[in-house]
Amino acid sequence: MSHNFTGRAELFKGIARNFGAAALPMVQAKVEALFEELPEEGAGEFASKVRCAAEIVGGLVRGAKHWTFAEREQLWGWLLPVLELQLPKVSNLNVGDWAAAIRFCVYDRDPRRFYPLTNLLFRPALTLAEDDTSFAQHRRLLLLHTA
């Protein structure tokens, strides 16, 4: 995991830790907007936006450690559909960023805190299909292995 990724994710971890679930409405629309690919953007620009989204997501999940159960359910209620839509679109430009985000979420933590994430990674929508490209298979296996 790169130092820069960790540093930026730590910022969002601190925001989530200090402000609790009140931070969630402030970042939801911003994270979703980062996944919108605009026609005037190049691939590198879009990859940078997706990296930023991965950093925010990683920080939020890790910072939610002391949230109440209901607050964590609110986080997962918003985050799981977003990830289910976006993870299959992860490109070779940012697969490492998402692996780092997942690693940041789960490293040295009680697995019961992030079981919704591991359940998502095993969902049929993200499973291997016979017509998947080798990169799609690599992406899925890398994210599963990281978790």
Side-chain angles (χ1 to χ4, degrees):
M1 180 174 354
S2 78
H3 175 70
N4 287 339
F5 182 94
T6 305
R8 289 186 292 262
E10 286 283 349
L11 169 71
F12 293 101
K13 172 189 167 188
I15 289 171
R17 182 192 60 227
N18 294 341
F19 294 98
L24 200 52
M26 293 184 273
V27 298
Q28 287 173 319
K30 303 288 185 197
V31 169
E32 291 171 12
L34 290 170
F35 290 116
E36 294 177 24
E37 191 168 6
L38 304 174
E40 64 271 10
E41 291 176 336
E45 237 179 296
F46 180 65
S48 294
K49 287 176 29 179
V50 172
R51 179 186 177 112
C52 182
E55 293 164 347
I56 295 170
V57 166
L60 284 176
V61 171
R62 192 155 180 96
K65 175 182 177 181
H66 295 296
W67 290 11
T68 66
F69 179 78
E71 289 171 333
R72 283 194 312 277
E73 287 295 307
Q74 181 184 358
L75 170 68
W76 291 117
W78 161 70
L79 190 55
L80 290 177
V82 171
L83 292 178
E84 188 168 24
L85 181 66
Q86 297 302 326
L87 287 180
K89 299 177 186 177
V90 169
S91 74
N92 63 328
L93 296 175
N94 49 30
V95 69
D97 300 326
W98 279 105
I102 290 171
R103 189 177 308 111
F104 191 73
C105 291
V106 304
Y107 179 76
D108 203 25
R109 296 292 172 153
D110 181 350
R112 294 172 291 185
R113 296 280 182 174
F114 54 84
Y115 73 89
L117 178 61
T118 53
N119 285 348
L120 169 71
L121 294 174
F122 280 102
R123 282 193 187 160
L126 299 175
T127 58
L128 298 175
E130 286 184 25
D131 59 342
D132 276 348
T133 63
S134 61
F135 177 75
Q137 293 174 6
H138 162 75
R139 175 184 57 225
R140 178 172 184 273
L141 292 173
L142 176 65
L143 297 179
L144 279 170
H145 178 266
T146 302

